[in-house]
Amino acid sequence: MGGRAAPAAGLRLPAERSSFVGRRAELARLRGLLAGSRLVTLVGPGGVGKTRLALRVADELRRSFPDGVALADLTAVRDPALAAAQVAAAFDVRDSTGRWLPASLADVLGERRVLLVLDNCEHLRDACAVLLDALTSACPGLSVLVTSRTPLDLPGEVLCAVPPLPVGAGSEAVELLVQRARAAAPGLVLTPEDDDTLAELCRRLDGIPLAIELAAVRLRTLTPAELLDRLDDRFGLLRRPGPAGPDRHRTLRATVEWSADLLGERERLLWARAAVFAGDVDLAAAAAVCADDGLPADDLLDAIGGLVDASLLTVVRNGAGSRFGMLETVRAFGRELLAACGQEAAVRRRHREWVTRLVADAAADFLGPGQVAAFDRLAAVHAELGGALEHCLRTPGEEAAGLSVAADAWLYWAARGHLGEGRRRLDLLLGAVPAPGPERARGLLVAGYLALVATDPETAVPLLEEAVRDARALDLPAEDALATQYLGQAALFRGDLPAADRLLRAAAAGHEAVGARAGAFCWADVGVVALLAGDLGSADAAFGTSLDSAADPWTRSHALWGQGLVRLAGGDPGEATRLEEQALRLMREVDDRSGVALCVTALGWTAAARGDPETAARLAGAAEAVWRSVPARQPAPLTAMGAHWTAGARRALGEQRWAARYAEGSALERAPAVALALGEERAAATPAPPPSGPLTRRQREVADLVAQGLTDREIAARLVISPRTAESHVEQILTRLGFRSRAQIAAWSAAQG
């Protein structure tokens, strides 16, 4: 053999040209894996930092390999036949005998303790697998650290998935962005005002180091806020100037295109179609939306496996099975692929049809014993629901279908904390479907109902009156009965008890005529009217009728709440407390925020009636915080009803002690408020922790708007920022103040004056 007899000993790695940020956990894991395995493959999406991590751990372990550490970079190698030559060159091995090069290289390495870093193998996967299989079998002292977007699938191979950097305030991703930005723009000045924007930038960039480094270069000419606002065009925006560096690392687009070029047609097609989803999906969802004659369902699992192997899909396993997700950068490129292949309209229509079926199936259980499970199913696909409705708004011919879906989700919007979103979506869709029809009639009544939940009868009444007219003109008796019921609720909110009683009883008769389950809740409303009118016997009977006919926990909880108020008014606060606690447990199960607020309020009244003004004050504050989170306010008739009990407790405590206990309750989030009301956790009354750091000016503005009960979208409109940025502001405030809820932010802001 004409080659050298041994590889040169010592370190054969390129010097680091910039600081290494974070990755302590990954470095520790890699050291452990290399101690127990001779072949470790770092896998992950392009730009996630596999090469940098491999070189750092190789540098740290060089003393463990006395005969040398070598790097073979296969980035520029296109011919699989040259892979072995690149590895041989890394060890200074030359062979002129004509033997099979892996055999010659194995002879040279022998039993020496060496570490090979084989970098960027995905495009030469099979050739690298053959080479390493031969070398590791023949060379017992050889260890190999591979970087690849796909596994080699060799015996003895151990995989180490490289995740994106953690994002958020003070995270490794933000640290990397700040370091690289200051290196790229020495005159750059970043202040605490920029912290939340920098964190949001890193979140939008998925914590991918390459994307963050490319973004840092843009901070030479753009402010962090300007860069964030332009991230929808991330592939055009994120590019490195100058000729240095591999082509596929000079732009974010080139990095993702490199992955696309390595895929088969089947995997590329699935990538494009799966990008229509907004979040993680299971196999059934992927089949419903992505499979057709061009991608048969029988081939879907193999295609998913190919994308998982290529680090383009992530796998999340839970008790319900496996789910598959994409980084936002991967999803954004997939949507470009979908638009380019001319199938976007068809795939989005299948996605909307899939969402339509999910919502309709869940809605069928809204007023039955499977209510909570139905809410949970929709919560799991909430992002898909929003994506489908947005598609319907911008696609001619799909508007009525979108309105139908939004209306079908009626109780989910109200009960699971999406009241503001549901109202906005229905308002937009009603504007897009101006002509009378079944979809519009139902959309009107649901929009009116949601306005009532938000204690906004002024908005609700015109919507409901139009719904009644359309329902009668179109012969839709079920919709007529519901709209009439909600008009009765509006009259109740206005304090017009005779009109409320007349409308609600008419609605109950209408529900009975069509056999609708909604009649059970209508009787609970009848009971509230009678209670406020002072007719305790009629109220108790109406609540009993509701309870007897209700099949779902939501309706039963409201009937029990009403019975508790009847017992309180009748002078039995002990029994009232028992019924209200029973109602609250059901409302907690359903996760009905407005219902929780009603029960916490009522339990404050029963505490006052039992002679416990301290608890009454705390629960009054806690109830107010829960109402803010809905967002809504307590209906005026109920406020007047509870004034007697509240006034007595205030007198017993005195204004100063009342205010202090009220503030303690107001600082609680929903779960501790419920625990306090049920007596499950007395520690729940502990005030929120003190602030751990100052807020920026913008964060203080956001905190003040949270205190006003504004949603993220409303805050965004007020401050002329994106809703995502507003959401990020709120998250940063929670972190800085050590809080866990918007209610705590609101209480803190109010205390600051």
Side-chain angles (χ1 to χ4, degrees), residues 688-695 703 732-739 744-745 748:
S692 60
L695 297 186
Q732 295 292 329
I733 294 167
L734 291 170
T735 299
R736 289 200 171 198
L737 297 184
F739 293 159
Q744 288 180 307
I745 295 174
W748 176 86

Side-chain angles (χ1 to χ4, degrees), residues 493-509:
F493 283 8
R494 295 195 305 267
D496 188 349
L497 299 184
D501 186 68
R502 173 177 54 81
L503 289 165
L504 290 169
R505 290 183 182 277

Side-chain angles (χ1 to χ4, degrees), residues 208-293:
I208 297 176
L210 174 64
I212 291 171
E213 297 201 9
L214 294 173
V217 176
R218 284 295 184 187
L219 291 177
R220 289 175 180 169
T221 52
L222 298 174
T223 67
E226 289 170 338
L227 179 56
L228 180 61
D229 287 341
R230 288 165 172 78
L231 271 193
D232 285 344
D233 182 29
R234 67 183 65 200
F235 295 119
L237 184 69
L238 301 182
R239 56 181 63 249
R240 192 192 309 275
D247 288 343
R248 64 190 177 88
H249 281 177
R250 291 179 58 198
T251 72
L252 187 62
R253 178 179 296 280
T255 297
V256 185
E257 284 178 341
W258 172 270
S259 292
D261 290 343
L262 298 175
L263 296 175
E265 186 57 34
R266 181 179 60 182
E267 286 75 18
R268 283 173 63 92
L269 185 58
L270 177 59
W271 181 1
R273 293 179 177 182
V276 75
F277 290 102
D280 297 347
V281 296
D282 59 16
L283 188 58
V289 176
C290 300
D292 64 4
D293 292 342

Side-chain angles (χ1 to χ4, degrees), residues 392-406:
C392 291
L393 266 175
R394 62 175 179 260
T395 305
E398 289 280 293
E399 301 92 343
L403 183 56
S404 179
V405 172

Side-chain angles (χ1 to χ4, degrees), residues 467-476 480 484:
V468 168
R469 291 194 299 269
D470 286 358
R472 291 174 182 174
L474 296 166
D475 192 23
L476 302 171
D480 183 3
T484 301

Side-chain angles (χ1 to χ4, degrees), residues 169-187:
S171 65
E172 293 178 1
V174 172
E175 181 184 354
L176 177 65
L177 178 59
V178 171
Q179 284 195 18
R180 298 300 188 261
R182 287 176 172 156

